[in-house]
Structures are given as structure tokens and as C-alpha cells.
Amino acid sequence: MNIVLIGPAFPLRGGIADFNEALANALIAAGHTVRIHSFYLQYPRLLFPGKSQYATAGTTGPALDIRPTIGSVHPWSWFKTARQVMEFKPDLVIVRYWLPFMGPALGTIARRLRKCGIRVIAITDNVLPHEQRPGDAALTKYFVRSCDAFVAMSQSVLDDLSRFTDNPYRAFLPHPVYDIFGKTLSKSEARQRLGLPEDQRLVLFFGFIRKYKGLDYLLEAMGEAELARLQVHLLVAGEFYEPEAPYLDIVRNNGALNRCRFDKEFIPKERVREYFCAADLVVQPYRHATQSGITQIAYHFGRPMLVTRVGGLAEIVEDGKTGYVTAPDASSIAAAIRDFYSHARESSMSEAVVAGRSRFDWNTFVMGLMKLYEKIR
């Protein structure tokens, strides 16, 4: 088939762009012709909390047909994009939805395409945003009513859809394992590249930092006396999307600052493996969540995980087998990290992660999309 993906892609950076490019490659491997229509303007600078929306200079883009035609706040580009998509004569359009701010642009494009008989499936990362604002429900409703069918990567998002539509064409397809960050490094080599001691007990927090991700819980846990006695260290790798001072104050006040390293920058794709392969345990101490690509990077590199019991995270991590599922608070997180090191669980949990990652195959995700398409065609 001819398939169009609508959503962020290179030179835009971040997990959603990475996913869209990986999905395009999986669809091409399945025999389809794929084009991506991305953004030339994703977020106006005033609304973007980070340092840059774009890949670092010199980064090579994927060998894909990527067309930056959409301006999130430029209505004329929405109609132009719809027209260009129609000229491609797609059998299916897949739209990535993750934020109500994008509702008008993506919803308008989808409506124009459906008027011409083109089927539209939305992959909904979130239906209700992590940080809610006035007008979110109206913008989400506009988008949701523009689509023929929906894919959610967590059951909680699938449930949230019911607040906006009774459309029965929907599917739960777990986030596939990322395979775009290169081969696994030995822990020794990864730590050497990062300038870390080989014998250090090291947990990793990876990704941009906002309140809903709960880094403060993990920093508070690092001050726990037993973790200090065990000499557990924390590596925080990601850009702050809010003031960093309150986070640093936590570890200054609880005495854990000398056991915490902050790499306060966006980690480019070619260096992601260094951080995951250097870690003993990947920690996602989120206050609330839907699904996360971080868990699937950890699966790819065979790293045990600690996640909190929020959103769809517990659907991916098997408590006590591939990692831990805890309450979203500092004491529960500290107790799990303490158990991990006190009982030397890294080896057995790593083996379980490697054995379990076949559940999250890109081929399975593509097959799920095609089954959903057959129901609406």
C-alpha cells in the first residue's frame, strides 16, 4: 500500500520522531511505500521549554521520504499538506497525536483527507496531556472526531478515548522495542566512554525533566541511609524543561549530591547506548504516565527497569522479573533499589528482559495496524 505518516521526523528530535522513523522503516520492510509529512514549525519558540527542537548539526538523517510541510500555527500549511498527501494517493494515513496543541493542525488535515475517502488511523500517545491546560478537552475532541480508528500503546489511553468518542475501531498495541540506537556495548566500554568507574553501583534516569516524570522522588530516595551505605550512584541524563535548582537542592540537603551526576543536555541518538549500557538499573519514577519509549530502549539493551504504578508502565515491566513496579514515592523507590543491590538481582533480571523483549516486536505492531485498517477500509 501507499501509506503516509503525519507527525514529527528528522531533523526534529525526540522520542516521537524516533518512533515515527522506526515505524516507517517497519512498514517499508513489510512491503509498503511510505512517506512522512512532518513539521517545519512544531512549537513556536515561545512555547518550547528546551534549548532546541532540532538534531545537532552534522547528524545524518534516516533514508526516508520526509517532507516538512506542516506549521502547527499556520492554517494555510494544513490545507497545503492535505493536498500534497492526496496527490500521493495513499491507501492509509497514520497520524501521531500526543498533545492538544496539535489538535487543530492534525485534526484539520485528517478531516480534509477523510472527505476524499482516505482512511485515517490515529496513534494516540496521550489523550489527556500530562500537564493539563484550559481548552485541552475541546482541542482533543476536535482531533478525535477527525479519525476513523485509533491505536493506543497503553490500556489507560485506550480507556481515556472513551471520554471523547464511542468509535469502536480501536486497538491496544504496546510500544515496540526501539532498535535504532545501535548495538549493545559492554558495561565496561560504556562506562569508559562516559568517564565512570567500572565497579560503581549505578542507576539511570534518562530523558527530559518535567515535574510529571518524578525525578524529585528518585533524588529523595538517593538520600536514604541504606543506599548511601551501599554507595549507589545516580546518573541523570537529560535536558531540564523547568528550573533545575529545586532538584539540585534536594540532593544538596540530603547528602547525596556527591553520588549524583547530572548530564544536563539532550542526548543525541548516537550516544544513547552509552548511557543505557553503563547502567545497572533504569529508573522511571513518574507521577503519571501513559507509556514510555524509555522502557523500550531499556528492553533493547537488556537493562532491568524500575517503574512506578502509573498509566501503562506496569503493563510493560514484570514486577520481580524484568524489574520493579513500585508506588510513586521516594520510600518505595528506595526500597526497590535497595533490594536490587542487596540481593544481586541484575543478572537474573537482565536475562528476563532479554527473554521478554520479543513481546514488543515491530512486526507485531505493524500487523496490528493492518488488522485495524481491514476493519475500516
Side-chain angles (χ1 to χ4, degrees):
M1 297 193 299
N2 282 353
I3 299 176
V4 170
L5 300 183
I6 296 179
F10 185 86
L12 295 170
R13 70 184 196 184
I16 295 177
D18 291 339
F19 182 102
N20 289 340
E21 293 161 16
L23 175 57
N25 282 322
L27 289 166
I28 291 169
H32 305 293
T33 301
V34 180
R35 176 192 290 182
I36 302 176
H37 279 265
S38 181
F39 294 82
Y40 64 81
L41 175 64
Q42 186 174 213
Y43 303 107
R45 186 68 190 90
L46 185 65
L47 301 179
F48 183 69
K51 296 175 183 177
S52 174
Q53 302 176 51
Y54 300 96
T56 53
T59 301
T60 303
L64 295 168
D65 184 356
I66 300 172
R67 306 191 179 202
T69 61
I70 307 168
S72 61
V73 292
H74 298 159
W76 61 86
S77 74
W78 311 344
F79 297 99
K80 179 180 178 182
T81 297
R83 186 170 65 252
Q84 291 186 13
V85 171
M86 285 185 273
E87 290 171 356
F88 183 61
K89 297 182 179 179
D91 301 283
L92 171 64
V93 171
I94 301 169
V95 183
R96 195 72 183 274
Y97 183 75
W98 71 101
L99 193 66
F101 175 76
M102 298 298 174
L106 300 178
T108 299
I109 294 169
R111 287 173 187 232
R112 299 283 292 183
L113 298 176
R114 290 180 72 203
K115 284 183 179 179
C116 297
I118 297 170
R119 297 305 185 194
V120 176
I121 294 178
I123 298 178
T124 52
D125 290 71
N126 305 302
V127 176
L128 302 174
H130 298 298
E131 298 160 330
Q132 297 187 30
R133 299 172 179 84
D136 283 346
L139 296 175
T140 296
K141 185 179 293 185
Y142 177 78
F143 173 77
V144 167
R145 294 183 176 181
S146 306
C147 304
D148 293 297
F150 304 90
V151 167
M153 292 182 285
S154 70
Q155 187 61 49
S156 62
V157 172
L158 207 63
D159 294 341
D160 289 341
L161 273 167
S162 298
R163 297 177 55 172
F164 298 95
T165 179
D166 58 1
N167 185 328
Y169 299 113
R170 57 181 81 175
F172 166 40
L173 301 176
H175 193 308
V177 170
Y178 274 126
D179 54 2
I180 58 175
F181 296 109
K183 295 181 179 179
T184 301
L185 298 171
S186 69
K187 186 180 290 186
S188 175
E189 182 179 354
R191 291 190 176 190
Q192 186 175 26
R193 293 187 183 193
L194 293 173
L196 293 166
E198 288 191 24
D199 59 350
Q200 192 175 81
R201 288 171 167 161
L202 184 69
V203 300
L204 172 69
F205 176 97
F206 190 91
F208 67 80
I209 297 153
R210 299 195 88 148
K211 187 175 179 63
Y212 78 86
K213 291 200 171 185
L215 175 60
D216 53 328
Y217 291 153
L218 178 54
L219 296 176
E220 290 167 8
M222 288 298 296
E224 199 241 34
E226 187 63 13
L227 295 193
R229 187 190 69 78
L230 289 167
Q231 279 297 295
V232 177
H233 287 69
L234 168 64
L235 175 57
V236 177
E239 189 176 344
F240 279 88
Y241 275 22
E242 58 186 26
E244 62 186 72
Y247 293 93
L248 299 178
D249 286 344
I250 293 172
V251 285
R252 286 195 187 101
N253 294 335
N254 68 13
L257 182 60
N258 66 338
R259 292 184 290 111
C260 297
R261 168 173 154 176
F262 294 84
D263 287 8
K264 299 177 287 187
E265 60 186 3
F266 177 83
I267 308 302
K269 189 180 300 184
E270 60 272 15
R271 296 198 62 202
V272 167
R273 64 178 181 162
E274 296 173 9
Y275 287 86
F276 280 82
C277 294
D280 305 322
L281 178 70
V282 178
V283 182
Q284 295 178 263
Y286 293 6
R287 280 181 164 79
H288 51 88
T290 47
Q291 66 285 314
S292 174
I294 303 301
T295 51
Q296 304 302 353
I297 301 174
Y299 262 105
H300 175 65
F301 290 114
R303 293 294 79 208
M305 293 152 276
L306 187 162
V307 301
T308 46
R309 195 174 289 103
V310 295
L313 297 182
E315 298 165 358
I316 306 302
V317 176
E318 297 178 84
D319 188 31
K321 186 174 181 182
T322 60
Y324 299 89
V325 180
T326 78
D329 61 67
S331 62
S332 299
I333 292 167
I337 297 173
R338 187 169 63 246
D339 177 85
F340 181 76
Y341 286 109
S342 297
H343 295 92
R345 301 200 190 277
E346 181 182 3
S347 179
S348 62
M349 286 186 169
S350 295
E351 290 175 3
V353 170
V354 172
R357 62 190 174 200
S358 60
R359 293 190 297 142
F360 310 109
D361 183 80
W362 280 100
N363 291 335
T364 301
F365 192 89
V366 168
M367 287 173 59
L369 276 172
M370 294 303 108
K371 287 179 181 177
L372 189 59
Y373 169 71
E374 289 298 324
K375 293 178 181 178
I376 62 174
R377 61 180 299 184

